[in-house]
Amino acid sequence: MGSPSDTIATQERTGPMGLFSRLRDFALSALAVIGAIAIVALMLHIISDVALRNTLNQPVPATYEIVTNYYMVALAFIPLAWLERSGGMVRVEVIDGFLGPRSYWLSEKLVALISTAIYGMLAWVTFEASLKTFAAGTFVLAQNIPIPTWPAYFLPPLGFFLAAVVTALRLVERQTTHEPL
């Protein structure tokens, strides 16, 4: 017979919350794949730039602009939701050991609420900024070739929004450890 936490975990994977959890996990897995593809593309782009520059004295045009305006932005913001879900964000656990189960549960819910609000505000503000760059058609010049940068401005609001969704789901999901008494 399974433990009570196994029963809770099974119950959470069925019903409406289970559907949301499965959708969230699928989306986060897709983001992990996109992040991995971005890392491989970044490596191939830089390797080809260095190889061509050193062998044929002809670098790949706009490498610096593409790396700084696309790859780095993607690698910084796409994994936010995955980091939140996996518990990889920075945590300060100075008082956690002193809290009882109910206080710990309340602390976790309060942190999730504050995180959701902050991520939501960041998503809103960065989305407004991305709309402005879209309307302006923001670009950088690389060897007199315009490289549009406005699409990359939509990555931060996407990352912040998905992180807000993950932390919001944490508010309503039942925790299987440190349950309140």
Side-chain angles (χ1 to χ4, degrees):
M1 184 167 192
S3 69
S5 63
D6 291 340
T7 304
I8 292 169
T10 302
Q11 291 170 349
E12 288 179 348
R13 298 306 270 178
T14 60
M17 280 308 299
L19 176 63
F20 287 126
S21 294
R22 287 191 305 277
L23 286 173
R24 175 204 55 216
D25 292 345
F26 175 77
L28 294 179
S29 295
L31 287 176
V33 169
I34 291 169
I37 291 170
I39 290 171
V40 170
L42 168 70
M43 290 188 310
L44 292 174
H45 196 148
I46 291 174
I47 288 170
S48 62
D49 180 61
V50 170
L52 289 172
R53 185 179 333 118
N54 290 326
T55 58
L56 302 175
N57 200 23
Q58 183 64 38
V60 175
T63 295
Y64 174 78
E65 290 78 8
I66 292 171
V67 166
T68 56
N69 290 296
Y70 283 95
Y71 295 131
M72 292 302 180
V73 175
L75 294 175
F77 291 101
I78 286 178
L80 281 177
W82 181 82
L83 283 170
E84 276 293 345
R85 175 68 177 137
S86 66
M89 295 300 272
V90 174
R91 294 177 57 105
V92 178
E93 300 173 340
V94 174
I95 63 168
D96 285 357
F98 300 107
L99 298 176
R102 184 174 296 270
S103 297
Y104 181 82
W105 178 85
L106 183 62
S107 170
E108 289 293 310
K109 295 299 179 179
L110 183 61
V111 167
L113 178 65
I114 293 168
S115 297
T116 301
I118 291 171
Y119 282 134
M121 286 186 283
L122 287 169
W124 180 260
V125 170
T126 57
F127 182 68
E128 285 182 336
S130 64
L131 290 176
K132 289 177 185 174
T133 62
F134 171 73
T138 305
F139 65 93
V140 294
L141 284 176
Q143 299 173 351
N144 292 327
I145 300 171
I147 307 292
T149 57
W150 63 263
Y153 282 84
F154 285 93
L155 294 174
L158 174 65
F160 289 134
F161 172 75
L162 293 173
V165 168
V166 168
T167 56
L169 285 173
R170 191 181 308 143
L171 279 170
V172 295
E173 285 180 333
R174 186 171 180 180
Q175 292 175 285
T176 57
T177 58
H178 295 93
E179 282 293 319
L181 298 174

